[in-house]
Amino acid sequence: MSSNEKTLKPRRSFIDWFLNSNGATSVAVVLLGFLVAIILVALVGKKPGNLLRSLLISMVGQKNNRGVWNFRYVGETLAYSVPFVLTGLTMAFACRVGLFNIGGEGQYVVGMTVAQAFALLVKPFPGMWIACLLLATLCGALWGGLVGVLKAKYQVSEVVATIMLNYVALYGSRLISLNLPGANTYKTGPLPSQALLQKFLIPTSNLNIAFFIMIFACVVYWFIMEKTRLGFGFRATGLNKEAARCSGINVVKNIGLAMAISGAFSGLAGACVLLGGAFTSGRVLSAQDGYGFMGIAVALVGNNTAVGTFIAGILFGILKEAQSIMQTMDIPKEITYIIQGLIVVFIALRSGLELIKQQRAKARVRKEASK
Amino acid sequence: MNLIISSIPTILMIVSPILITAIGGMICERSGVVNIALEGLMGIGACACASTHYLMEAGGSGRYSLVVALLIGMVISALFSLIHAVAAINFNADQTISGTGINLLADGVTIFASQILFHADRTKEFRIGMTTDALGLYPTAYIALAVVLIAWFVLYKTPFGLHLRACGEHPAAAESVGINVRRIRYVGVITSGVLSGLAGGCIVLTQTIQYTSNTINGRGFIAIAAVAFGRWTPLGVTGAAFLFGTAQALSVIATNFPALKSIPSEVFNIIPYAITLITLIIFSGKDYAPRASGQPFTEARS
């Protein structure tokens, strides 16, 4: 199909370039989301300028009264982007293998719960945070891998299975966390300092070494997916399961393994939020944090690539940090959720572009034929 | 025994909205469209209903306000379900993505609307919601019963129901005998929107006095579980909704039962999800889902 197009019309117009570029349509989708939000803000009688200003502040910081730049907001933005990127990688990884992992939320909760249980129950030792992160990653992988096994062996739809496991994780986490030392209805006792993540660069913010861990995770994602035989098998499975099976790729094993790796990113995200957050005690969750669901949006905007997911995660970090600034400027912070929701809806509608593409190709063939 | 009888109204109060939503989700899937936006649509219906009821009550027209509020909730939720319909039916979109989008959007829209209308992250409290009848039951129980009966009758006793089921099983065959697959799927999606909105309104008017971001709290996803566990039939879905609703109710009222007192409420909360997962594994070989559910449909063209 694509080679046909090229031979029929070597010079491609802007519209063709746009329709065929995932990056360009992603940018357009994001801009469209912001545009609708700006219109909505104006319609309800608030100042759209304030919305944009709060976004700008969370991107570059703000000059204070004495003319000194305050970068705290930037630090917070980068800190917030860590779980977004990691849960985004979860969704992206599964997508590349042809699976839809909306269980990032549950894997995130499992990672967080295991990390805080370990930190509170084991006698503190230097470098404890490393053990916490590794354990959370491992358990996230197990929780995700379980879905893979159910899908591969029992043909249970991964969408239904992950929805169910999200809630099993949430209530299971409450059961465990409520029995941890010093637990009350919303938090556990204080976490040992050895388990907390070191801050850097902007000490007034929550920016911590989890940021580097996140970048490392992006590199791992890129390496596994693009540079290893395993990744080749994953991508082949995602593109055409039957063809992959026929060429000797173990599809069942791949699905289980892919869901496990996918879940590992979210498990890590849970530990990073817990140990690098503003509060230094464990949490008894009363509802889902929503990072797992946001990760779906992040991966969709980032077109399931490592770099794209990273950029999209930073964008979502900006939105999250802008929330608190908006509140002081008389803009309801929920507008950011609307923007994120709109972006996902528009991405779903992006498949409409495929129809336009097909129509254009048909029209072109007709034109060629009538010559 | 008395204890069990006395908890029936509470159980029915919790079961009814789950059942109404699940029937909507079932009809939507039987027409061939998967709808995981039930959770968000319930929230939108609940928020619209709570706002309308508060405003009308404050305006002094409390008499008709319950009915009007429910209707408004249904209409607005139906409008949002149109997004899903357009994406899934006209644009061949991935239905899980557009459903997730609506869920995210609903989180924002409902609280944003509350901020604009009431300057708070929740709607204002209304004074009186629905009241119970002589048996101690809320009207929602009867509404749910009516919804199930109508759904069963339409699906299995009318030509339209046959057409709808055909669109979910084999849309190409349905089209070949002159059924307009897209139109029927639109009806399926909008029905699920209307019923989710109705259920959201039922929750707000019976179980609470305002809409907050925590009002729905996963009940839409329980409804999805009920559809799968009930194997896409009205009777099965009703049974599943009763089972899951009772488990939900027990997490609230277990303290009344000496035998269940010592069990943490979280255990009851887990039950619906765990049971669904286990049954899906046990019955994995047989596929009860509508065959074409979730797949986009394109008319056969030369």
Side-chain angles (χ1 to χ4, degrees):
Chain A
M1 180 86 182
S2 58
S3 64
N4 265 349
E5 270 171 37
K6 268 179 201 151
T7 49
L8 283 173
K9 195 174 185 186
R11 268 178 52 216
R12 300 164 87 198
S13 65
F14 171 75
I15 298 176
D16 283 319
W17 168 80
F18 178 79
L19 289 175
N20 284 305
S21 161
N22 283 331
T25 46
S26 271
V27 171
V29 157
V30 169
L31 290 180
L32 201 58
F34 278 104
L35 186 68
V36 174
I38 288 169
I39 293 171
L40 187 62
V41 167
L43 278 181
V44 298
K46 309 274 180 187
K47 294 197 191 77
N50 284 352
L51 173 67
L52 296 175
R53 227 173 77 211
S54 58
L55 290 169
L56 193 68
I57 291 173
S58 57
M59 255 185 278
V60 297
Q62 192 182 28
K63 227 182 226 173
N64 68 9
N65 301 337
R66 283 165 291 149
V68 183
W69 278 94
N70 181 355
F71 289 112
R72 189 176 73 83
Y73 299 110
V74 184
E76 295 287 359
T77 295
L78 295 178
Y80 276 135
S81 65
V82 170
F84 286 127
V85 174
L86 287 174
T87 53
L89 291 177
T90 288
M91 172 69 186
F93 201 94
C95 268
R96 291 291 284 275
V97 195
L99 300 161
F100 204 94
N101 181 1
I102 58 173
E105 192 65 45
Q107 292 137 17
Y108 164 93
V109 168
V110 167
M112 174 180 277
T113 310
V114 169
Q116 72 188 24
F118 183 78
L120 288 167
L121 294 176
V122 177
K123 201 165 153 264
F125 55 89
M128 190 182 202
W129 57 275
I130 300 175
C132 287
L133 292 182
L134 287 177
L135 204 61
T137 310
L138 179 71
C139 291
L142 289 175
W143 202 251
L146 176 63
V147 179
V149 171
L150 293 181
K151 166 88 179 176
K153 275 194 106 164
Y154 301 100
Q155 291 92 44
V156 176
S157 148
E158 77 274 22
V159 173
V160 178
T162 46
I163 288 175
M164 302 304 134
L165 283 173
N166 282 346
Y167 282 94
V168 173
L170 175 66
Y171 292 113
S173 163
R174 280 183 63 82
L175 273 179
I176 294 171
S177 303
L178 279 169
N179 290 308
L180 289 174
N184 60 24
T185 50
Y186 67 98
K187 66 176 172 79
T188 71
L191 298 166
S193 59
Q194 292 93 326
L196 299 178
L197 298 174
Q198 187 71 43
K199 290 185 181 163
F200 77 97
L201 204 61
I202 309 171
T204 48
S205 75
N206 270 319
L207 185 58
N208 56 60
I209 46 174
F211 190 74
F212 294 119
I213 297 168
M214 175 266 275
I215 290 177
F216 179 68
C218 287
V219 175
V220 168
Y221 175 97
W222 169 82
F223 185 77
I224 295 180
M225 206 39 106
E226 315 287 351
K227 295 286 154 196
T228 62
R229 244 175 88 176
L230 192 67
F232 178 78
F234 283 155
R235 282 181 287 141
T237 309
L239 288 173
N240 189 336
K241 220 189 272 182
E242 288 314 310
R245 200 194 308 275
C246 294
S247 55
I249 291 168
N250 188 340
V251 172
V252 170
K253 198 188 90 190
N254 266 353
I255 288 177
L257 200 57
M259 282 302 279
I261 298 175
S262 161
F265 291 116
S266 277
L268 180 61
C272 287
V273 168
L274 175 78
L275 305 174
F279 6 72
T280 49
S281 49
R283 299 175 56 195
V284 179
L285 297 167
S286 60
Q288 291 168 331
D289 277 357
Y291 283 119
F293 289 112
M294 293 299 175
I296 300 173
V298 171
L300 291 170
V301 172
N303 292 313
N304 303 332
T305 63
V307 177
T309 306
F310 177 80
I311 295 172
I314 302 276
L315 172 76
F316 277 57
I318 292 170
L319 281 172
K320 173 116 182 165
E321 171 56 16
Q323 283 186 347
S324 58
I325 309 170
M326 280 175 201
Q327 292 289 69
T328 63
M329 294 187 180
D330 189 35
I331 302 272
K333 70 173 194 299
E334 286 73 22
I335 194 73
T336 59
Y337 299 134
I338 295 185
I339 294 174
Q340 288 157 351
L342 284 172
I343 288 176
V344 178
V345 168
F346 289 144
I347 284 188
L349 294 176
R350 186 161 72 172
S351 55
L353 295 179
E354 283 302 316
L355 300 178
I356 300 177
K357 246 198 279 192
Q358 284 167 16
Q359 265 172 13
R360 284 177 66 85
K362 251 184 221 164
R364 206 174 298 145
V365 172
R366 216 168 290 143
K367 221 167 111 190
E368 290 286 321
S370 65
K371 255 181 203 169
Chain B
M1 196 59 207
N2 270 337
L3 224 57
I4 295 175
I5 291 173
S6 69
S7 21
I8 286 179
T10 313
I11 292 175
L12 284 179
M13 175 184 85
I14 292 175
V15 165
S16 305
I18 294 175
L19 178 54
I20 295 171
T21 311
I23 292 289
M26 178 195 80
I27 292 173
C28 191
E29 287 213 27
R30 289 304 282 264
S31 79
V33 180
V34 169
N35 191 348
I36 67 161
L38 297 178
E39 174 90 3
L41 294 171
M42 281 175 96
I44 285 165
C47 180
C49 180
S51 310
T52 313
H53 184 49
Y54 169 79
L55 292 172
M56 287 188 73
E57 205 181 36
S61 48
R63 236 168 111 198
Y64 310 103
S65 110
L66 287 174
V67 178
V68 175
L70 278 179
L71 286 176
I72 299 260
M74 287 154 79
V75 169
I76 296 192
S77 173
L79 287 178
F80 271 85
S81 72
L82 270 180
I83 300 175
H84 189 55
V86 171
I89 302 166
N90 295 105
F91 285 7
N92 297 347
D94 186 316
Q95 296 168 12
T96 316
I97 296 180
S98 82
T100 307
I102 293 172
N103 281 338
L104 289 175
L105 195 58
D107 284 348
V109 168
T110 51
I111 305 299
F112 186 80
S114 311
Q115 293 272 22
I116 299 303
L117 286 172
F118 307 110
H119 305 286
D121 62 350
R122 51 191 60 204
T123 65
K124 275 235 167 68
E125 305 96 334
F126 49 80
R127 267 176 294 132
I128 310 163
M130 285 184 180
T131 45
T132 51
D133 64 4
L135 290 169
L137 300 178
Y138 282 106
T140 54
Y142 305 108
I143 297 176
L145 183 67
V147 166
V148 173
L149 290 177
I150 294 171
W152 170 80
F153 183 80
V154 172
L155 271 185
Y156 292 97
K157 299 291 163 191
T158 65
F160 175 80
L162 182 67
H163 294 175
L164 188 134
R165 285 182 286 137
C167 291
E169 291 295 334
H170 204 315
E175 197 214 3
S176 73
V177 293
I179 297 170
N180 187 336
V181 176
R182 284 171 199 264
R183 199 173 67 202
I184 291 213
R185 287 190 169 177
Y186 258 93
V187 174
V189 176
I190 293 172
T191 306
S192 74
V194 169
L195 291 180
S196 302
L198 174 65
C202 289
I203 289 179
V204 162
L205 293 179
T206 57
Q207 299 174 23
T208 168
I209 48 164
Q210 62 186 169
Y211 175 82
T212 73
S213 60
N214 226 1
T215 300
I216 306 302
N217 200 14
R219 289 199 188 91
F221 289 121
I222 293 192
I224 293 173
V227 174
F229 184 64
R231 295 182 192 167
W232 292 267
T233 64
L235 189 66
V237 170
T238 307
F242 261 89
L243 182 66
F244 296 169
T246 309
Q248 284 271 304
L250 278 175
S251 69
V252 183
I253 57 173
T255 43
N256 298 342
F257 296 90
L260 304 174
K261 219 178 209 165
S262 56
I263 303 174
S265 67
E266 283 79 12
V267 172
F268 298 108
N269 285 323
I270 288 183
I271 286 176
Y273 307 108
I275 291 184
T276 305
L277 208 51
I278 293 166
T279 27
L280 284 175
I281 298 167
I282 294 174
F283 295 104
S284 64
K286 304 163 205 145
D287 210 353
Y288 296 97
R291 213 153 296 147
S293 182
Q295 289 161 11
F297 171 71
T298 31
E299 285 94 346
R301 288 201 203 94
S302 57

